[in-house]
PDB file of all heavy atoms in Angstrom:
ATOM      1  N   PHE F   8     -17.046   7.855 -36.771  1.00 97.00           N
ATOM      2  CA  PHE F   8     -18.223   7.019 -36.571  1.00 97.00           C
ATOM      3  C   PHE F   8     -17.817   5.745 -35.846  1.00 97.00           C
ATOM      4  O   PHE F   8     -16.961   5.000 -36.333  1.00 97.00           O
ATOM      5  CB  PHE F   8     -18.835   6.616 -37.916  1.00 97.00           C
ATOM      6  CG  PHE F   8     -19.370   7.751 -38.739  1.00 97.00           C
ATOM      7  CD1 PHE F   8     -18.555   8.419 -39.643  1.00 97.00           C
ATOM      8  CD2 PHE F   8     -20.696   8.148 -38.629  1.00 97.00           C
ATOM      9  CE1 PHE F   8     -19.050   9.453 -40.415  1.00 97.00           C
ATOM     10  CE2 PHE F   8     -21.199   9.186 -39.395  1.00 97.00           C
ATOM     11  CZ  PHE F   8     -20.380   9.841 -40.292  1.00 97.00           C
ATOM     12  N   PHE F   9     -18.416   5.492 -34.689  1.00 98.00           N
ATOM     13  CA  PHE F   9     -18.202   4.209 -34.031  1.00 98.00           C
ATOM     14  C   PHE F   9     -19.550   3.679 -33.558  1.00 98.00           C
ATOM     15  O   PHE F   9     -20.476   4.445 -33.299  1.00 98.00           O
ATOM     16  CB  PHE F   9     -17.183   4.303 -32.893  1.00 98.00           C
ATOM     17  CG  PHE F   9     -17.568   5.167 -31.721  1.00 98.00           C
ATOM     18  CD1 PHE F   9     -17.865   4.609 -30.485  1.00 98.00           C
ATOM     19  CD2 PHE F   9     -17.584   6.558 -31.829  1.00 98.00           C
ATOM     20  CE1 PHE F   9     -18.187   5.405 -29.394  1.00 98.00           C
ATOM     21  CE2 PHE F   9     -17.903   7.364 -30.730  1.00 98.00           C
ATOM     22  CZ  PHE F   9     -18.210   6.780 -29.516  1.00 98.00           C
ATOM     23  N   GLY F  10     -19.655   2.362 -33.505  1.00 97.00           N
ATOM     24  CA  GLY F  10     -20.949   1.773 -33.275  1.00 97.00           C
ATOM     25  C   GLY F  10     -20.994   0.825 -32.094  1.00 97.00           C
ATOM     26  O   GLY F  10     -19.974   0.280 -31.666  1.00 97.00           O
ATOM     27  N   GLU F  11     -22.202   0.627 -31.584  1.00 97.00           N
ATOM     28  CA  GLU F  11     -22.468  -0.421 -30.598  1.00 97.00           C
ATOM     29  C   GLU F  11     -22.865  -1.671 -31.358  1.00 97.00           C
ATOM     30  O   GLU F  11     -23.892  -1.697 -32.040  1.00 97.00           O
ATOM     31  CB  GLU F  11     -23.593   0.004 -29.662  1.00 97.00           C
ATOM     32  CG  GLU F  11     -23.957  -1.069 -28.653  1.00 97.00           C
ATOM     33  CD  GLU F  11     -25.395  -1.000 -28.179  1.00 97.00           C
ATOM     34  OE1 GLU F  11     -26.277  -0.623 -28.972  1.00 97.00           O
ATOM     35  OE2 GLU F  11     -25.636  -1.354 -27.010  1.00 97.00           O
ATOM     36  N   LEU F  12     -22.036  -2.696 -31.254  1.00 94.00           N
ATOM     37  CA  LEU F  12     -22.288  -3.930 -31.987  1.00 94.00           C
ATOM     38  C   LEU F  12     -21.930  -5.098 -31.077  1.00 94.00           C
ATOM     39  O   LEU F  12     -20.756  -5.417 -30.881  1.00 94.00           O
ATOM     40  CB  LEU F  12     -21.452  -3.966 -33.272  1.00 94.00           C
ATOM     41  CG  LEU F  12     -21.958  -4.837 -34.425  1.00 94.00           C
ATOM     42  CD1 LEU F  12     -21.129  -4.601 -35.680  1.00 94.00           C
ATOM     43  CD2 LEU F  12     -21.964  -6.313 -34.090  1.00 94.00           C
ATOM     44  N   VAL F  13     -22.943  -5.723 -30.499  1.00 90.00           N
ATOM     45  CA  VAL F  13     -22.729  -6.855 -29.601  1.00 90.00           C
ATOM     46  C   VAL F  13     -22.893  -8.129 -30.419  1.00 90.00           C
ATOM     47  O   VAL F  13     -24.004  -8.491 -30.812  1.00 90.00           O
ATOM     48  CB  VAL F  13     -23.726  -6.851 -28.425  1.00 90.00           C
ATOM     49  CG1 VAL F  13     -23.408  -7.986 -27.456  1.00 90.00           C
ATOM     50  CG2 VAL F  13     -23.699  -5.512 -27.714  1.00 90.00           C
ATOM     51  N   GLY F  14     -21.778  -8.791 -30.706  1.00 86.00           N
ATOM     52  CA  GLY F  14     -21.827  -9.995 -31.521  1.00 86.00           C
ATOM     53  C   GLY F  14     -20.434 -10.504 -31.793  1.00 86.00           C
ATOM     54  O   GLY F  14     -19.449  -9.960 -31.296  1.00 86.00           O
ATOM     55  N   PRO F  15     -20.319 -11.565 -32.591  1.00 86.00           N
ATOM     56  CA  PRO F  15     -18.998 -12.129 -32.901  1.00 86.00           C
ATOM     57  C   PRO F  15     -18.144 -11.149 -33.695  1.00 86.00           C
ATOM     58  O   PRO F  15     -18.657 -10.317 -34.446  1.00 86.00           O
ATOM     59  CB  PRO F  15     -19.339 -13.368 -33.729  1.00 86.00           C
ATOM     60  CG  PRO F  15     -20.689 -13.097 -34.297  1.00 86.00           C
ATOM     61  CD  PRO F  15     -21.402 -12.283 -33.275  1.00 86.00           C
ATOM     62  N   GLU F  16     -16.822 -11.283 -33.523  1.00 88.00           N
ATOM     63  CA  GLU F  16     -15.923 -10.299 -34.132  1.00 88.00           C
ATOM     64  C   GLU F  16     -15.984 -10.296 -35.655  1.00 88.00           C
ATOM     65  O   GLU F  16     -15.799  -9.256 -36.278  1.00 88.00           O
ATOM     66  CB  GLU F  16     -14.486 -10.537 -33.666  1.00 88.00           C
ATOM     67  CG  GLU F  16     -13.545  -9.489 -34.205  1.00 88.00           C
ATOM     68  CD  GLU F  16     -12.315  -9.308 -33.354  1.00 88.00           C
ATOM     69  OE1 GLU F  16     -12.161 -10.032 -32.363  1.00 88.00           O
ATOM     70  OE2 GLU F  16     -11.506  -8.439 -33.684  1.00 88.00           O
ATOM     71  N   ASN F  17     -16.251 -11.439 -36.265  1.00 88.00           N
ATOM     72  CA  ASN F  17     -16.314 -11.432 -37.734  1.00 88.00           C
ATOM     73  C   ASN F  17     -17.470 -10.572 -38.245  1.00 88.00           C
ATOM     74  O   ASN F  17     -17.465 -10.130 -39.392  1.00 88.00           O
ATOM     75  CB  ASN F  17     -16.399 -12.853 -38.292  1.00 88.00           C
ATOM     76  CG  ASN F  17     -17.589 -13.627 -37.758  1.00 88.00           C
ATOM     77  OD1 ASN F  17     -18.437 -13.085 -37.062  1.00 88.00           O
ATOM     78  ND2 ASN F  17     -17.651 -14.908 -38.098  1.00 88.00           N
ATOM     79  N   LEU F  18     -18.459 -10.308 -37.398  1.00 91.00           N
ATOM     80  CA  LEU F  18     -19.559  -9.428 -37.787  1.00 91.00           C
ATOM     81  C   LEU F  18     -19.082  -7.988 -37.939  1.00 91.00           C
ATOM     82  O   LEU F  18     -19.639  -7.225 -38.744  1.00 91.00           O
ATOM     83  CB  LEU F  18     -20.675  -9.520 -36.745  1.00 91.00           C
ATOM     84  CG  LEU F  18     -22.006  -8.834 -37.069  1.00 91.00           C
ATOM     85  CD1 LEU F  18     -22.642  -9.447 -38.307  1.00 91.00           C
ATOM     86  CD2 LEU F  18     -22.963  -8.950 -35.878  1.00 91.00           C
ATOM     87  N   TYR F  19     -18.047  -7.609 -37.182  1.00 93.00           N
ATOM     88  CA  TYR F  19     -17.527  -6.245 -37.266  1.00 93.00           C
ATOM     89  C   TYR F  19     -17.062  -5.913 -38.688  1.00 93.00           C
ATOM     90  O   TYR F  19     -17.197  -4.780 -39.149  1.00 93.00           O
ATOM     91  CB  TYR F  19     -16.341  -6.050 -36.313  1.00 93.00           C
ATOM     92  CG  TYR F  19     -16.640  -6.216 -34.848  1.00 93.00           C
ATOM     93  CD1 TYR F  19     -15.624  -6.145 -33.904  1.00 93.00           C
ATOM     94  CD2 TYR F  19     -17.932  -6.459 -34.382  1.00 93.00           C
ATOM     95  CE1 TYR F  19     -15.879  -6.293 -32.548  1.00 93.00           C
ATOM     96  CE2 TYR F  19     -18.190  -6.614 -33.033  1.00 93.00           C
ATOM     97  CZ  TYR F  19     -17.163  -6.531 -32.117  1.00 93.00           C
ATOM     98  OH  TYR F  19     -17.412  -6.681 -30.780  1.00 93.00           O
ATOM     99  N   ASN F  20     -16.503  -6.924 -39.361  1.00 91.00           N
ATOM    100  CA  ASN F  20     -15.937  -6.687 -40.686  1.00 91.00           C
ATOM    101  C   ASN F  20     -16.983  -6.185 -41.680  1.00 91.00           C
ATOM    102  O   ASN F  20     -16.642  -5.526 -42.667  1.00 91.00           O
ATOM    103  CB  ASN F  20     -15.306  -7.966 -41.231  1.00 91.00           C
ATOM    104  CG  ASN F  20     -14.219  -8.508 -40.329  1.00 91.00           C
ATOM    105  OD1 ASN F  20     -13.687  -7.802 -39.480  1.00 91.00           O
ATOM    106  ND2 ASN F  20     -13.881  -9.771 -40.496  1.00 91.00           N
ATOM    107  N   ASN F  21     -18.252  -6.519 -41.444  1.00 91.00           N
ATOM    108  CA  ASN F  21     -19.310  -6.119 -42.369  1.00 91.00           C
ATOM    109  C   ASN F  21     -19.695  -4.653 -42.224  1.00 91.00           C
ATOM    110  O   ASN F  21     -20.369  -4.101 -43.094  1.00 91.00           O
ATOM    111  CB  ASN F  21     -20.559  -6.977 -42.142  1.00 91.00           C
ATOM    112  CG  ASN F  21     -20.315  -8.440 -42.429  1.00 91.00           C
ATOM    113  OD1 ASN F  21     -19.401  -8.796 -43.153  1.00 91.00           O
ATOM    114  ND2 ASN F  21     -21.136  -9.290 -41.850  1.00 91.00           N
ATOM    115  N   TYR F  22     -19.282  -4.036 -41.121  1.00 94.00           N
ATOM    116  CA  TYR F  22     -19.719  -2.667 -40.850  1.00 94.00           C
ATOM    117  C   TYR F  22     -18.575  -1.652 -40.865  1.00 94.00           C
ATOM    118  O   TYR F  22     -18.827  -0.463 -41.025  1.00 94.00           O
ATOM    119  CB  TYR F  22     -20.399  -2.606 -39.477  1.00 94.00           C
ATOM    120  CG  TYR F  22     -21.731  -3.308 -39.422  1.00 94.00           C
ATOM    121  CD1 TYR F  22     -21.819  -4.648 -39.044  1.00 94.00           C
ATOM    122  CD2 TYR F  22     -22.909  -2.644 -39.743  1.00 94.00           C
ATOM    123  CE1 TYR F  22     -23.050  -5.300 -38.982  1.00 94.00           C
ATOM    124  CE2 TYR F  22     -24.143  -3.282 -39.681  1.00 94.00           C
ATOM    125  CZ  TYR F  22     -24.203  -4.607 -39.304  1.00 94.00           C
ATOM    126  OH  TYR F  22     -25.414  -5.253 -39.248  1.00 94.00           O
ATOM    127  N   ILE F  23     -17.342  -2.098 -40.666  1.00 94.00           N
ATOM    128  CA  ILE F  23     -16.210  -1.178 -40.562  1.00 94.00           C
ATOM    129  C   ILE F  23     -15.485  -1.094 -41.895  1.00 94.00           C
ATOM    130  O   ILE F  23     -15.215  -2.107 -42.542  1.00 94.00           O
ATOM    131  CB  ILE F  23     -15.223  -1.636 -39.473  1.00 94.00           C
ATOM    132  CG1 ILE F  23     -15.913  -1.705 -38.116  1.00 94.00           C
ATOM    133  CG2 ILE F  23     -14.031  -0.692 -39.390  1.00 94.00           C
ATOM    134  CD1 ILE F  23     -15.031  -2.262 -37.009  1.00 94.00           C
ATOM    135  N   GLY F  24     -15.130   0.132 -42.290  1.00 89.00           N
ATOM    136  CA  GLY F  24     -14.258   0.311 -43.437  1.00 89.00           C
ATOM    137  C   GLY F  24     -14.953   0.237 -44.775  1.00 89.00           C
ATOM    138  O   GLY F  24     -16.179   0.232 -44.886  1.00 89.00           O
ATOM    139  N   PRO F  25     -14.174   0.135 -45.860  1.00 83.00           N
ATOM    140  CA  PRO F  25     -14.718   0.246 -47.222  1.00 83.00           C
ATOM    141  C   PRO F  25     -15.254  -1.055 -47.794  1.00 83.00           C
ATOM    142  O   PRO F  25     -15.795  -1.040 -48.887  1.00 83.00           O
ATOM    143  CB  PRO F  25     -13.500   0.717 -48.012  1.00 83.00           C
ATOM    144  CG  PRO F  25     -12.339   0.099 -47.302  1.00 83.00           C
ATOM    145  CD  PRO F  25     -12.714   0.116 -45.842  1.00 83.00           C
ATOM    146  N   LYS F  26     -15.128  -2.166 -47.108  1.00 64.00           N
ATOM    147  CA  LYS F  26     -15.518  -3.452 -47.692  1.00 64.00           C
ATOM    148  C   LYS F  26     -16.923  -3.861 -47.281  1.00 64.00           C
ATOM    149  O   LYS F  26     -17.203  -5.034 -47.063  1.00 64.00           O
ATOM    150  CB  LYS F  26     -14.509  -4.523 -47.294  1.00 64.00           C
ATOM    151  CG  LYS F  26     -13.116  -4.247 -47.854  1.00 64.00           C
ATOM    152  CD  LYS F  26     -12.133  -5.338 -47.490  1.00 64.00           C
ATOM    153  CE  LYS F  26     -10.759  -5.031 -48.068  1.00 64.00           C
ATOM    154  NZ  LYS F  26      -9.769  -6.071 -47.718  1.00 64.00           N
ATOM    155  N   THR F  27     -17.786  -2.879 -47.127  1.00 65.00           N
ATOM    156  CA  THR F  27     -19.164  -3.169 -46.770  1.00 65.00           C
ATOM    157  C   THR F  27     -19.951  -3.534 -48.020  1.00 65.00           C
ATOM    158  O   THR F  27     -19.650  -3.075 -49.116  1.00 65.00           O
ATOM    159  CB  THR F  27     -19.805  -1.959 -46.076  1.00 65.00           C
ATOM    160  OG1 THR F  27     -19.522  -0.798 -46.851  1.00 65.00           O
ATOM    161  CG2 THR F  27     -19.256  -1.784 -44.684  1.00 65.00           C
ATOM    162  N   PRO F  28     -20.995  -4.367 -47.912  1.00 62.00           N
ATOM    163  CA  PRO F  28     -21.750  -4.810 -49.093  1.00 62.00           C
ATOM    164  C   PRO F  28     -22.450  -3.645 -49.774  1.00 62.00           C
ATOM    165  O   PRO F  28     -22.776  -2.635 -49.158  1.00 62.00           O
ATOM    166  CB  PRO F  28     -22.771  -5.789 -48.499  1.00 62.00           C
ATOM    167  CG  PRO F  28     -22.265  -6.138 -47.152  1.00 62.00           C
ATOM    168  CD  PRO F  28     -21.483  -4.962 -46.681  1.00 62.00           C
ATOM    169  N   VAL F  29     -22.717  -3.803 -51.038  1.00 61.00           N
ATOM    170  CA  VAL F  29     -23.479  -2.812 -51.792  1.00 61.00           C
ATOM    171  C   VAL F  29     -24.723  -3.468 -52.344  1.00 61.00           C
ATOM    172  O   VAL F  29     -24.764  -4.679 -52.571  1.00 61.00           O
ATOM    173  CB  VAL F  29     -22.647  -2.207 -52.946  1.00 61.00           C
ATOM    174  CG1 VAL F  29     -21.499  -1.399 -52.389  1.00 61.00           C
ATOM    175  CG2 VAL F  29     -22.126  -3.281 -53.882  1.00 61.00           C
ATOM    176  N   ALA F  30     -25.758  -2.673 -52.540  1.00 61.00           N
ATOM    177  CA  ALA F  30     -27.028  -3.199 -53.028  1.00 61.00           C
ATOM    178  C   ALA F  30     -26.959  -3.482 -54.527  1.00 61.00           C
ATOM    179  O   ALA F  30     -26.083  -2.983 -55.244  1.00 61.00           O
ATOM    180  CB  ALA F  30     -28.139  -2.195 -52.723  1.00 61.00           C
ATOM    181  N   VAL F  31     -27.886  -4.272 -54.993  1.00 61.00           N
ATOM    182  CA  VAL F  31     -27.982  -4.570 -56.423  1.00 61.00           C
ATOM    183  C   VAL F  31     -28.193  -3.270 -57.193  1.00 61.00           C
ATOM    184  O   VAL F  31     -28.963  -2.396 -56.788  1.00 61.00           O
ATOM    185  CB  VAL F  31     -29.146  -5.544 -56.679  1.00 61.00           C
ATOM    186  CG1 VAL F  31     -29.310  -5.792 -58.165  1.00 61.00           C
ATOM    187  CG2 VAL F  31     -28.908  -6.852 -55.942  1.00 61.00           C
ATOM    188  N   ASN F  32     -27.478  -3.123 -58.303  1.00 69.00           N
ATOM    189  CA  ASN F  32     -27.561  -1.947 -59.175  1.00 69.00           C
ATOM    190  C   ASN F  32     -27.025  -0.671 -58.519  1.00 69.00           C
ATOM    191  O   ASN F  32     -27.266   0.426 -59.021  1.00 69.00           O
ATOM    192  CB  ASN F  32     -29.011  -1.707 -59.641  1.00 69.00           C
ATOM    193  CG  ASN F  32     -29.556  -2.875 -60.438  1.00 69.00           C
ATOM    194  OD1 ASN F  32     -28.815  -3.488 -61.221  1.00 69.00           O
ATOM    195  ND2 ASN F  32     -30.818  -3.196 -60.247  1.00 69.00           N
ATOM    196  N   ASP F  33     -26.340  -0.804 -57.412  1.00 72.00           N
ATOM    197  CA  ASP F  33     -25.722   0.346 -56.747  1.00 72.00           C
ATOM    198  C   ASP F  33     -24.213   0.183 -56.861  1.00 72.00           C
ATOM    199  O   ASP F  33     -23.626  -0.692 -56.246  1.00 72.00           O
ATOM    200  CB  ASP F  33     -26.142   0.408 -55.286  1.00 72.00           C
ATOM    201  CG  ASP F  33     -25.663   1.692 -54.591  1.00 72.00           C
ATOM    202  OD1 ASP F  33     -24.773   2.360 -55.147  1.00 72.00           O
ATOM    203  OD2 ASP F  33     -26.190   2.002 -53.518  1.00 72.00           O
ATOM    204  N   LYS F  34     -23.577   1.025 -57.651  1.00 73.00           N
ATOM    205  CA  LYS F  34     -22.143   0.885 -57.941  1.00 73.00           C
ATOM    206  C   LYS F  34     -21.269   1.726 -57.013  1.00 73.00           C
ATOM    207  O   LYS F  34     -20.056   1.770 -57.178  1.00 73.00           O
ATOM    208  CB  LYS F  34     -21.871   1.285 -59.398  1.00 73.00           C
ATOM    209  CG  LYS F  34     -22.677   0.501 -60.426  1.00 73.00           C
ATOM    210  CD  LYS F  34     -22.426  -0.996 -60.327  1.00 73.00           C
ATOM    211  CE  LYS F  34     -23.216  -1.758 -61.387  1.00 73.00           C
ATOM    212  NZ  LYS F  34     -23.045  -3.227 -61.257  1.00 73.00           N
ATOM    213  N   THR F  35     -21.869   2.382 -56.045  1.00 79.00           N
ATOM    214  CA  THR F  35     -21.109   3.230 -55.132  1.00 79.00           C
ATOM    215  C   THR F  35     -20.273   2.391 -54.176  1.00 79.00           C
ATOM    216  O   THR F  35     -20.717   1.355 -53.692  1.00 79.00           O
ATOM    217  CB  THR F  35     -22.058   4.119 -54.313  1.00 79.00           C
ATOM    218  OG1 THR F  35     -22.883   4.855 -55.207  1.00 79.00           O
ATOM    219  CG2 THR F  35     -21.284   5.072 -53.424  1.00 79.00           C
ATOM    220  N   ILE F  36     -19.057   2.846 -53.916  1.00 83.00           N
ATOM    221  CA  ILE F  36     -18.252   2.238 -52.861  1.00 83.00           C
ATOM    222  C   ILE F  36     -18.491   3.051 -51.591  1.00 83.00           C
ATOM    223  O   ILE F  36     -18.146   4.221 -51.506  1.00 83.00           O
ATOM    224  CB  ILE F  36     -16.756   2.244 -53.209  1.00 83.00           C
ATOM    225  CG1 ILE F  36     -16.495   1.391 -54.450  1.00 83.00           C
ATOM    226  CG2 ILE F  36     -15.927   1.726 -52.033  1.00 83.00           C
ATOM    227  CD1 ILE F  36     -15.063   1.426 -54.925  1.00 83.00           C
TER     228      ILE F  36
END
């Protein structure tokens, strides 16, 4: 999976890999 993401590099961290945010009451990684 690779994405088109035009923005600052720190924004990439939110979408790549296992450290993406999880929703409230959602315990899935």
Side-chain angles (χ1 to χ4, degrees):
F8 296 89
F9 64 110
E11 177 207 34
L12 204 172
V13 184
E16 184 155 3
N17 57 7
L18 189 62
Y19 297 176
N20 302 342
N21 297 338
Y22 290 92
I23 300 175
K26 296 182 180 179
T27 48
V29 294
V31 176
N32 299 322
D33 187 344
K34 303 302 181 183
T35 305
I36 297 176

